[in-house]
Amino acid sequence: GMVQSGKTASMINLISMGIISGYRLIIILAGDKDSLRKQTQKRVNEAFNLTNGVNTDLSWSKYPIHSPTFKDDFSHTGFDYTGTFQTSMMAGNYEQLTTIIVMKKWTSHIEDLIEQIKALDNWCSRSRGEFDLTESFPALILDDEADYASQNTNPLGDPSATHSALVSLRKTIPRNCYAAYTATPQACLSANPNDLIGYPKDFFWLLEP
């Protein structure tokens, strides 16, 4: 999308359609600056009527919605996987939630998220069939400013750190869809079409102002 073409509004609408379609985990990679992350989080809070990170109004959505990053970035929330994914509420009510994570695109944050998802997978395995990572947590990953840091800047050697972390994230989540947003798509269009992160091999769409 062009500058000021409504990329954030498009992301909010895509999240809404994703929730309706059955996605239960939404991950927004909001650039690498805290100001952009907070701005995107604010838009998410407003769009989904989150109060202290939660919306339990089931007349609005089939499932409760919560965002563990409503106040702080992912690695700074103080939550382990039980708080991030509200496993006690799930176990108590046998009820699935929709989790929206808004985080900076830092390798350390992505790696922390991967470890929590692995712990969540172990929890699902102990739930006696009530929950399953594949069926209970289909994920929609939205990569804002996808031309920056996400691309593999070292294609002839070991993949660059952020790119490698994003590839690992997609491999850790059994069912996920990855959508990239950028105003400057040249790097994405020049990426390896066979890579999990990079080239838009399924489709690309121009957002008009």
Side-chain angles (χ1 to χ4, degrees):
M2 298 172 65
V3 174
Q4 298 302 317
S5 61
K7 291 190 292 297
T8 304
S10 174
M11 282 192 282
I12 295 296
N13 280 294
L14 183 58
I15 291 169
S16 298
M17 290 187 289
I19 291 172
I20 292 170
S21 299
Y23 287 98
R24 298 276 72 87
L25 173 58
I26 315 294
I27 301 167
I28 306 174
L29 303 164
D32 71 331
K33 305 243 180 343
D34 198 50
S35 57
L36 178 57
R37 194 211 76 81
K38 288 181 177 177
Q39 176 181 306
T40 303
Q41 181 75 60
K42 183 174 183 290
R43 293 282 296 273
V44 166
N45 293 345
E46 293 170 351
F48 297 101
N49 298 324
L50 302 182
T51 302
N52 291 326
V54 179
N55 181 351
T56 58
D57 182 2
L58 298 185
S59 66
W60 188 89
S61 172
K62 183 178 180 181
Y63 300 101
I65 298 173
H66 85 112
S67 177
T69 55
F70 75 97
K71 186 177 179 181
D72 295 300
D73 205 349
F74 184 76
S75 294
H76 303 145
T77 63
F79 296 135
D80 62 5
Y81 78 95
T82 60
T84 296
F85 300 104
Q86 294 292 302
T87 55
S88 60
M89 184 180 294
M90 291 172 62
N93 300 326
Y94 299 105
E95 184 177 72
Q96 180 68 54
L97 289 82
T98 297
T99 301
I100 303 177
I101 296 171
V102 184
M103 58 191 289
K104 289 197 295 291
K105 199 189 311 181
W106 286 8
T107 302
S108 58
H109 291 295
I110 299 168
E111 290 174 344
D112 285 349
L113 176 58
I114 289 171
E115 291 307 308
Q116 287 204 20
I117 291 171
K118 289 179 179 178
L120 177 66
D121 188 21
N122 289 331
W123 180 84
C124 288
S125 298
R126 301 192 304 270
S127 71
R128 299 180 181 178
E130 293 293 340
F131 299 101
D132 175 78
L133 189 64
T134 302
E135 298 300 324
S136 302
F137 291 92
L140 176 61
I141 302 170
L142 304 183
D143 189 348
D144 196 8
E145 308 295 348
D147 61 301
Y148 180 77
S150 300
Q151 304 304 311
N152 184 13
T153 58
N154 189 29
L156 300 180
D158 293 333
S160 48
T162 303
H163 177 83
S164 182
L166 291 175
V167 170
S168 296
L169 177 63
R170 291 205 67 187
K171 288 181 176 180
T172 301
I173 304 171
R175 294 174 63 196
N176 68 83
C177 178
Y178 171 84
Y181 282 81
T182 179
T184 51
Q186 292 87 343
C188 302
L189 295 172
S190 300
N192 182 352
N194 297 317
D195 204 322
L196 285 175
I197 300 292
Y199 186 82
K201 63 180 180 179
D202 295 304
F203 68 90
F204 58 90
W205 189 274
L206 176 62
L207 300 179
E208 298 285 357

